[in-house]
Amino acid sequence: MNPFGHIDLRVADLDVAVAFYDALLPALGFTDRFHGDAWKVWATTDPAPSTAYFAITEEKSHVANGNRIAFSVASPSEVDRLADIALHEGAADMSGPKPMPYGPGYYAAFFADPSGNRLEVYVRPE
């Protein structure tokens, strides 16, 4: 069972955020969509209870903070590919992709979504 359930993320502008996450999340495996008026939800296709959900909703007073959401991928080339997608979709504060000192082979890209929420895509070999 995957212990990760869901992320409910606040964004400053829902339309801008949907465009960003509509490109990034399917590339990470969140290919199912459950979009309503207030909440936009992307999900993996894993059967319950292993399904993971990533949801956003607009909060006009949203201010990004020091939290970071990190997505694990299978290879350095996936980190590169996803960093390119994020950059193309308007990611800010891109750092990397580059090796990091967090462990042997740790390779990551760090960036912010259009609302300033900090994200990371990384690979950490066994």
Side-chain angles (χ1 to χ4, degrees), residues 73-95:
V73 298
S75 69
S77 63
E78 277 295 286
V79 172
D80 294 341
R81 184 178 76 84
L82 291 160
D84 285 343
I85 290 170
L87 198 55
H88 182 264
E89 294 301 321
D93 302 326
M94 180 65 72
S95 176

Side-chain angles (χ1 to χ4, degrees), residues 17-111:
V18 166
F20 180 83
Y21 285 110
D22 239 358
L24 182 65
L25 291 175
L28 283 160
F30 292 81
T31 55
D32 284 350
R33 289 175 180 83
F34 304 96
H35 291 358
D37 291 337
W39 285 92
K40 308 302 179 190
V41 179
W42 293 262
T44 62
T45 58
D46 302 313
S50 294
T51 310
Y53 297 88
F54 190 102
I56 60 173
T57 193
E58 187 172 270
E59 185 175 285
K60 290 290 187 187
S61 62
H62 170 73
V63 177
N65 58 37
N67 294 328
R68 175 179 292 130
I69 298 169
F71 297 97
S72 177
V73 298
S75 69
S77 63
E78 277 295 286
V79 172
D80 294 341
R81 184 178 76 84
L82 291 160
D84 285 343
I85 290 170
L87 198 55
H88 182 264
E89 294 301 321
D93 302 326
M94 180 65 72
S95 176
K98 61 186 176 184
M100 297 301 296
Y102 307 140
Y106 197 107
Y107 183 75
F110 304 87
F111 51 92

Side-chain angles (χ1 to χ4, degrees), residues 10-24:
R10 274 47 179 179
V11 297
D13 184 316
L14 193 57
D15 292 334
V16 171
V18 166
F20 180 83
Y21 285 110
D22 239 358
L24 182 65

